[in-house]
Amino acid sequence: MGSEGNALEEGTVPQLDFEKLRRIAERDQHVVPVVLQDADGGAVLFVGYANVEALRETLRTKRAVLWSTSRDELWRKGETSGDVLDLVEVRVNCEQNSLLYRVRRRAGGACHTRDASGQSRSGCYYRRLSCRRAPCPRPGRGWRARRCR
């Protein structure tokens, strides 16, 4: 866990980012959340964001395309990793402020992180929080993390 990104993505200490949406708003990024769900098993793979361009590209190519809020660019899932997600359908929630991409993995996993064997994880929700070990709120001072096991 040499780099900060690895500690965040691979570490066992919860570091929940409650400022993510504020940063997106401050950068004036016009996006909606997208839940990516395995169309066959129903598992939630991960959550991303789409702007109008990403949604159009998703519908046109029948592949999951998102907007990278950190890089300010289209993110064609699997373009570099090979973990392509083929689109089955797009659904819109009742308030029309989020999307559901029902997808099928073409090969490999869905998460950009790797498991102990070096393979892409099937989804990004690979850590659990328990009531005893969850981060504890401290009013006005953020969250105190406890080590998860």
Side-chain angles (χ1 to χ4, degrees):
M1 282 188 226
S3 76
E4 191 173 305
N6 285 341
L8 176 67
E9 295 172 355
E10 303 292 345
T12 56
V13 176
Q15 299 178 44
L16 300 171
D17 185 359
F18 290 99
E19 298 298 316
K20 173 81 174 179
L21 296 179
R22 181 188 54 76
R23 286 194 308 276
I24 291 171
E26 286 176 351
R27 294 175 75 184
D28 201 29
Q29 295 182 342
H30 300 274
V31 296
V32 294
V34 179
V35 175
L36 287 95
Q37 179 186 44
D38 182 277
D40 299 314
V44 172
L45 304 175
F46 64 92
V47 175
Y49 300 91
N51 61 8
V52 171
E53 182 182 8
L55 177 57
R56 282 188 187 135
E57 190 73 2
T58 295
L59 294 170
R60 186 182 71 75
T61 64
K62 304 286 191 239
R63 290 179 44 190
V65 179
L66 302 156
W67 183 255
S68 171
T69 58
S70 59
R71 295 186 312 267
D72 282 333
E73 64 184 23
L74 280 181
W75 170 32
R76 291 172 178 85
K77 179 66 179 121
E79 192 169 66
T80 56
S81 67
D83 295 334
V84 174
L85 300 175
D86 291 314
L87 184 70
V88 173
E89 69 177 338
V90 176
R91 293 186 184 183
V92 182
N93 75 326
C94 60
E95 294 180 340
Q96 299 196 47
N97 61 9
S98 68
L99 298 169
L100 173 67
Y101 287 4
R102 300 192 69 236
V103 298
R104 285 198 178 98
R105 289 174 280 211
R106 192 178 291 179
C111 188
H112 69 282
T113 63
R114 307 278 178 189
D115 63 19
S117 69
Q119 299 297 311
S120 296
R121 288 185 167 92
S122 61
C124 292
Y125 291 95
Y126 52 89
R127 288 179 280 209
R128 294 177 189 221
L129 293 178
S130 69
C131 292
R132 292 181 304 130
R133 296 187 179 103
C136 301
R138 296 183 300 174
R141 297 189 345 238
W143 286 69
R144 177 182 68 222
R146 291 184 183 151
R147 193 157 188 83
C148 286
R149 294 195 175 110

